[in-house]
Amino acid sequence: MKFLIPVFIIFSFSFSVFGQERPRLGLTLSGGGAKGLAHLGILKAIDSSGLHIDYISGTSMGAVVGAMYAIGYNADTLLKISNKTDWDLLLSNSASLKNLSIDEKSEYDKYAIELPWENNGFRLPSGVLESEELWLRLSEYFFPVNALKNFSTFPRGFACMATDISSGEGVILDSGEIVQAIRASMTIPSVFTAVPFQGRKLVDGGIVNNFPVSVAKKEGADFVIGSNVAGSLLAKEKITNIFQVLLQVAFFREDKDAKEEKKMCDLYIQHHLDEYTMGSFGSVNEIIKEGCLVGDSIYPRLKKMSDSLNLIYGPDKRAYPKIPQMDSVKINAFEVHGLVKTNEVFFLHRIDMKPNTFYTAKEINNHIRKAFGTRYYKKIVYELHPLEDGSSKIIFDVEENPFTFAKSTISYNSFNGISLIGNITSRNFFTPYSRSLVSANIGENLRIRGEHLQYFGRFKTLTLSASIEASNIGFANYLNYVKDGTYKQSAVRADLNTHWTLNRNYAIGIGTSFQSYHYKPDIVSKFELRGYNNFLNTYAFVQFNTLSNAIYPKRGSTFNATVGYNYNQHHDIDFYHNGNLILNEDSLNGQFSDYWHVKADYQNFAPLSSKFTFITHLQMGISFHSKSIFYGDYFIGGLNASFPNQVLFAGLEEGTIRTNSAAMLQCGLRYRPYTNLYITARANMMALDFIKNSELTKSGSFLSGYAITLGYNFILGPLEISAMYCDQSKKLLPYINLGIPF
């Protein structure tokens, strides 16, 4: 390797002797998935040395990194971008929760299995990734060169490799839409969906040429620096799952061809990343650190090369490539391809972009997310085509979601027991611009819910919601923090409300519900009740949700508040004490009267670092009536919301205390030592009965409690094992939760 520098000097001098121009330097970056981020360390060394790269070729992740470098992003900027990137979101079919419309947030990411209805039947999911967020993020990064359709006109020339899925031939992509080109180059078969491009269907170029040094040579590079992060094929004992089998088969040819490509390198750089895989995006920092160490080790050679060139040809006076200046583009025309079940009017209304208006890349992406957040669409990508007047036409390429899905998951926690949760969701089933669903919780606590949402208005921001829910839930009775019998509560709630969605994250509305409750003891307690009561409830509400994701959110807030009035009470309830009927109900000092109630719930997740998140949770429930007989009470306890009128409290089991007024403040710190593994510590305090103590509730006026939770997020959702303690009960309690409760 050491002889390369003198050879290069002699080679370069020959150009000077014969009066030729400064030699063109090429750079080739291999594919390798997450390991491709090690290339950033090489770019940093190249930038520091003062070398000017003229042409870049790459495959897969090497194409992504190389293309960004080609249009003017320097190594330091690319490192910052990598550190801020949510790789889990980009490389998944998930959407950021904050991009979904408010009506979709509560149902999103709750189910382990989602089967689309296609070709007259529910089909298994394809298992491949479309990754809308990856498309949008790449569109944002490459927005400054959207008008450059020939990649040789970039500040640095560029080309990448892809594979024609129909013929198996390698395809050099050096013109067209740059985002589609690099997205095709990184499309690993059986992992990502194939990309239509220039009349072909393309997949990962690594199948035919993962290290395209020959492409750089073909384009006129006189001297090529090659950075290769790919290792050899896996040994048979390391092939342990179907994903590894598919990758091994897909890259048989690549391993052979790479040996020939290496011979064309004038300076070959091999990274040693065998402990990582293509999917090791949870180890991005470690991979980049290795790349920087390799970059540091070759920096002296690069610096000598730069100094030699300057000695022979004089200082390189070319300006260092910078990203072209283009903050916004004026859009004057729209074109939509791929619509079948929805029409162009609906789509453009959801996009909500206006002609003859300037838009930045972020603004275009945010408008696309408005439509994507409706869940009508699986993929929305765009191209910008310059018009003669200097403006542009935006062309949307759309793929619609199936309108009907069957969903299922398993849930367990210490309160609900084991449950099988099923759901069928269909759009436009009864009427256009609607969503209908039926959900069922089959287990120890039976619940079923049906809902129909109908959207109105030009932008479909006015919603009429009709729902009905029936449940049969078991509760424990508590006396001084000790279980004292159990009972079943059967409930029916029919609700009609209308709400206005201010944007994807906010909604306000009003509604009326009919609620009926029937109580029956299972195990006799000291105090019990039998019978039913029903009433009407008219209410107003506000919703707010900016969480980044539904499970273990990294940032964002939620706020839900309801103010309502319960009236038109009807009841037939008998009360018992030690098994004896209480004939004089007046002795209970309670009554079934009309009353106002307020419930509010606020949560905030603030990232302190990549590993730590600070959690704040405030919850309040108040029934403004002087005397409560059970039906208006709030139930205190639990770590997960499991039923109406519950106020969470770390330290007590669900329903340990009943009260007509409660306010809880909880603070927590969540630590993520490894990908998908979480440790959460919580401390909370609660004020009780600050409006008027219930005659039936013998609780104190203040509670304090704590919990520590070990959680792991996998396909069924979070698996959490917790230990709780309350200063007032003086009990250490276990709590287990799997998945998301109904």
Side-chain angles (χ1 to χ4, degrees):
M1 185 69 72
K2 294 181 179 179
F3 70 91
L4 288 174
I5 300 303
V7 169
F8 176 73
I9 296 173
I10 295 171
F11 178 74
S12 301
F13 182 73
S14 68
F15 277 85
S16 178
V17 169
F18 293 102
Q20 297 191 22
E21 296 181 354
R22 193 181 189 96
R24 288 167 53 85
L25 301 184
L27 173 66
T28 297
L29 305 178
S30 76
K35 296 191 290 185
L37 293 170
H39 294 313
L40 299 179
I42 306 305
L43 299 184
K44 187 174 178 63
I46 290 173
D47 285 351
S48 299
S49 72
L51 283 174
H52 286 250
I53 299 297
D54 298 288
Y55 194 86
I56 302 170
S57 63
T59 297
S60 197
M61 184 60 81
V64 178
V65 174
M68 294 182 71
Y69 192 64
I71 71 169
Y73 289 97
N74 61 36
D76 288 337
T77 301
L78 290 174
L79 286 167
K80 291 176 183 177
I81 289 173
S82 177
N83 289 333
K84 294 190 298 183
T85 297
D86 184 344
W87 295 102
D88 291 338
L89 176 61
L90 286 192
L91 302 174
S92 73
N93 278 333
S94 298
S96 175
L97 195 68
K98 65 183 180 181
N99 294 328
L100 300 181
S101 61
I102 191 80
D103 290 323
E104 298 294 333
K105 293 178 189 281
S106 61
E107 287 292 313
Y108 188 68
D109 217 12
K110 288 177 60 173
Y111 301 95
I113 300 173
E114 296 193 8
L115 305 179
W117 178 271
E118 295 179 300
N119 300 322
N120 300 315
F122 288 110
R123 309 296 178 186
L124 289 173
S126 64
V128 294
L129 303 177
E130 188 61 67
S131 188
E132 174 72 9
E133 280 299 318
L134 177 60
W135 282 101
L136 295 181
R137 192 66 60 84
L138 292 175
S139 297
E140 193 171 307
Y141 293 149
F142 290 94
F143 183 77
V145 295
N146 70 80
L148 303 180
K149 307 303 181 183
N150 187 332
F151 305 163
S152 65
T153 60
F154 290 173
R156 299 180 175 99
F158 173 77
C160 60
M161 287 298 305
T163 304
D164 189 322
I165 197 171
S166 62
S167 65
E169 296 177 348
V171 181
I172 299 174
L173 305 179
D174 56 9
S175 63
E177 294 296 325
I178 180 60
V179 172
Q180 291 188 17
I182 59 177
R183 180 66 175 79
S185 182
M186 65 177 293
T187 299
I188 301 171
S190 302
V191 179
F192 290 100
T193 55
V195 175
F197 188 74
Q198 297 178 344
R200 301 172 182 254
K201 268 205 164 183
L202 303 179
V203 293
D204 199 297
I207 297 174
V208 293
N209 193 345
N210 196 49
F211 190 46
V213 182
S214 57
V215 174
K217 289 285 190 181
K218 181 180 178 181
E219 294 298 323
D222 302 306
F223 188 94
V224 177
I225 301 168
S227 175
N228 190 3
V229 299
S232 57
L233 293 174
L234 293 173
K236 62 181 180 180
E237 60 271 11
K238 292 187 177 182
I239 303 174
T240 59
N241 58 53
I242 186 63
F243 181 71
Q244 291 170 332
V245 171
L246 291 170
L247 290 179
Q248 189 88 335
V249 172
F251 293 105
F252 273 144
R253 179 176 168 183
E254 180 275 325
D255 187 61
K256 179 182 177 181
D257 291 347
K259 295 174 183 177
E260 299 300 319
E261 296 287 332
K262 292 176 187 176
K263 297 176 183 178
M264 302 183 197
C265 280
D266 299 286
L267 175 56
Y268 177 69
I269 304 164
Q270 178 66 60
H271 298 261
H272 300 287
L273 297 163
D274 290 341
E275 62 184 293
Y276 305 104
T277 69
M278 299 175 71
S280 297
F281 286 95
S283 303
V284 164
N285 292 336
E286 292 82 358
I287 290 171
I288 292 176
K289 182 178 180 181
E290 189 280 342
C292 289
L293 289 174
V294 174
D296 290 342
S297 70
I298 67 163
Y299 170 77
R301 302 177 195 174
L302 298 174
K303 181 60 176 170
K304 285 182 181 179
M305 188 186 305
S306 177
D307 292 343
S308 298
L309 286 170
N310 291 336
L311 179 65
I312 296 170
Y313 298 99
D316 193 337
K317 297 181 179 180
R318 291 177 296 175
Y320 207 80
K322 293 184 178 180
I323 303 171
Q325 293 297 313
M326 179 178 285
D327 296 328
S328 62
V329 62
K330 186 178 183 180
I331 295 177
N332 252 345
F334 302 89
E335 191 174 312
V336 187
H337 300 158
L339 297 178
V340 177
K341 300 174 183 177
T342 59
N343 58 45
E344 187 171 304
V345 173
F346 175 76
F347 177 81
L348 292 177
H349 280 171
R350 299 308 291 184
I351 290 286
D352 190 23
M353 294 178 68
K354 298 175 175 59
N356 199 32
T357 303
F358 283 91
Y359 289 97
T360 65
K362 288 185 177 180
E363 288 170 342
I364 293 174
N365 285 351
N366 284 335
H367 282 275
I368 288 175
R369 290 184 179 107
K370 287 183 180 181
F372 188 74
T374 65
R375 305 298 308 280
Y376 276 91
Y377 305 104
K378 181 188 299 184
K379 180 181 76 172
I380 305 172
V381 298
Y382 72 91
E383 302 172 12
L384 290 170
H385 286 250
L387 300 176
E388 292 182 358
D389 63 359
S391 64
S392 294
K393 176 170 71 173
I394 187 167
I395 301 175
F396 295 103
D397 187 13
V398 179
E399 184 177 348
E400 295 168 318
N401 265 323
F403 273 10
T404 301
F405 281 85
K407 309 174 187 181
S408 182
T409 193
I410 294 174
S411 174
Y412 172 85
N413 67 36
S414 300
F415 175 76
N416 286 309
I418 187 72
S419 298
L420 173 64
I421 302 176
N423 170 280
I424 294 179
T425 298
S426 186
R427 300 178 192 280
N428 297 6
F429 184 76
F430 294 109
T431 55
Y433 312 120
S434 68
R435 187 197 74 185
S436 306
L437 64 81
V438 176
S439 300
N441 183 97
I442 302 171
E444 297 176 36
N445 289 325
L446 181 65
R447 298 174 71 180
I448 186 167
R449 179 172 179 267
E451 180 186 55
H452 179 78
L453 296 180
Q454 184 65 55
Y455 304 104
F456 297 96
R458 180 183 178 189
F459 300 111
K460 304 300 181 280
T461 55
L462 183 65
T463 305
L464 181 66
S465 170
S467 65
I468 185 166
E469 181 174 338
S471 62
N472 189 28
I473 302 176
F475 281 89
N477 233 9
Y478 288 84
L479 183 63
N480 295 326
Y481 307 107
V482 177
K483 288 184 180 179
D484 180 40
T486 62
Y487 64 92
K488 282 286 187 181
Q489 174 187 279
S490 299
V492 175
R493 174 188 169 104
D495 183 89
L496 182 68
N497 73 69
T498 182
H499 56 274
W500 181 33
T501 304
L502 303 178
N503 58 33
R504 286 168 289 174
N505 301 321
Y506 300 84
I508 57 174
I510 57 173
T512 294
S513 65
F514 168 80
Q515 300 180 43
S516 179
Y517 297 89
H518 186 274
Y519 312 100
K520 180 182 178 181
D522 274 350
I523 300 176
V524 174
S525 58
K526 183 176 181 181
F527 176 83
E528 63 187 47
L529 67 163
R530 300 171 183 263
Y532 74 88
N533 75 293
N534 56 60
F535 54 89
L536 294 175
N537 173 36
T538 295
Y539 60 93
F541 66 92
V542 59
Q543 296 175 324
F544 169 73
N545 188 327
T546 60
L547 296 183
S548 57
N549 43 294
I551 301 172
Y552 296 121
K554 298 170 184 173
R555 57 173 49 83
S557 302
T558 63
F559 178 69
N560 295 282
T562 302
V563 178
Y565 184 66
N566 284 5
Y567 59 97
N568 201 26
Q569 306 279 346
H570 293 89
H571 70 278
D572 184 7
I573 295 181
D574 294 323
F575 297 90
Y576 295 82
H577 185 262
N578 291 328
N580 298 315
L581 177 65
I582 299 176
L583 299 176
N584 181 16
E585 293 184 6
D586 292 339
S587 64
L588 298 174
N589 294 316
Q591 58 188 13
F592 288 86
S593 58
D594 301 342
Y595 66 95
W596 289 90
H597 60 89
V598 175
K599 188 174 182 181
D601 190 324
Y602 171 78
Q603 293 186 78
N604 177 261
F605 297 84
L608 302 179
S609 69
S610 61
K611 299 287 187 180
F612 287 94
T613 302
F614 187 76
I615 305 169
T616 306
H617 190 183
L618 293 90
Q619 201 171 14
M620 177 186 69
I622 304 173
S623 293
F624 292 96
H625 56 143
S626 59
K627 297 176 181 178
S628 161
I629 298 186
F630 193 77
Y631 72 95
D633 284 346
Y634 291 91
F635 295 78
I636 309 303
L639 295 177
N640 293 281
S642 300
F643 52 89
N645 275 24
Q646 179 186 6
V647 178
L648 303 181
F649 185 79
L652 297 176
E653 295 177 319
E654 290 87 345
T656 299
I657 293 174
R658 302 196 312 269
T659 178
N660 64 358
S661 51
M664 182 273 292
L665 169 62
Q666 182 182 104
C667 294
L669 185 65
R670 188 173 67 210
Y671 171 56
R672 181 176 63 87
Y674 304 103
T675 301
N676 293 327
L677 183 66
Y678 300 86
I679 300 170
T680 307
R682 299 179 179 92
N684 53 199
M685 57 184 180
M686 176 178 285
L688 297 167
D689 295 324
F690 48 83
I691 297 297
K692 169 70 176 179
N693 264 6
S694 167
E695 296 295 333
L696 304 179
T697 304
K698 306 301 182 183
S699 62
S701 60
F702 179 81
L703 294 173
S704 54
Y706 320 91
I708 186 165
T709 301
L710 177 66
Y712 183 78
N713 189 24
F714 71 122
I715 189 169
L716 291 177
L719 171 61
E720 299 176 319
I721 301 173
S722 304
M724 308 188 298
Y725 181 78
C726 175
D727 291 319
Q728 285 67 40
S729 69
K730 302 191 182 303
K731 290 184 178 181
L732 182 65
L733 300 172
Y735 193 92
I736 299 174
N737 181 77
L738 169 64
I740 301 176
F742 184 89

